[in-house]
Amino acid sequence: MKSTLIFILLATLLGGGIWFYGTYVAKPRPPHRRPAGATSPGNRRVEKTDAEWKAVLTGSQYNITRRSGTEWPNSSALTHEHRRGTYTCVSCRNPLFSSETKFESGTGWPSFYASIVPNAVYNEPDGGRTEVRCAVCDAHLGHVFNDGPDPTGLRYCMNGVAMAFEE
């Protein structure tokens, strides 16, 4: 019984410390800035305030697309979607990927080897990885890796929550 109380006390202190650090000490991430030279299909742009994004997206969609979060592997129905269709950005409906370029990567996230058109998405450095964003609304979609199949050798590892499927 005593060890349980000690565990609960330590867990509470750790959780409180993490909350305190995140709330009062950690510096917030600077707002995302679109890189120079990035274009979108038809030069279409969708720009909204943070409050407007929160109003039109679910909590999970907002966390992933606007705060660069990541969903749990195999948590999206789109991971195992096999019908013919188009994967669009959940925020602005920009067509991103065709089902023709989707493949089973075994990673737990929907994976594609090419975007539907070259400027549907753009890439940015993200530490040791390369982040993929929607070219129309700058939504964070996932990451791209160099271990995909032919013909591109790329694996666009996308968050299913960041996309909608249209048959």
Side-chain angles (χ1 to χ4, degrees), residues 36-59:
T39 63
S40 61
N43 288 321
R44 185 172 157 242
R45 290 291 295 147
V46 173
E47 296 179 5
K48 296 182 181 190
T49 65
D50 202 45
E52 290 171 323
W53 284 123
K54 283 182 180 178
V56 297
L57 299 171
T58 67

Side-chain angles (χ1 to χ4, degrees), residues 100-163:
E100 311 235 342
T101 63
K102 188 171 191 270
F103 68 97
E104 293 297 327
S105 65
T107 61
W109 287 277
S111 297
F112 306 86
Y113 61 80
S115 58
I116 201 159
V117 294
N119 65 343
V121 298
Y122 66 87
N123 302 335
E124 291 188 307
D126 183 20
R129 304 181 295 180
T130 303
E131 180 181 20
V132 178
R133 287 188 173 264
C134 173
V136 172
C137 70
D138 302 322
H140 167 79
L141 302 170
H143 293 87
V144 63
F145 302 93
N146 292 319
D147 59 0
D150 289 334
T152 65
L154 298 175
R155 174 174 52 96
Y156 287 89
C157 192
M158 302 292 97
N159 289 291
V161 170
M163 299 184 299

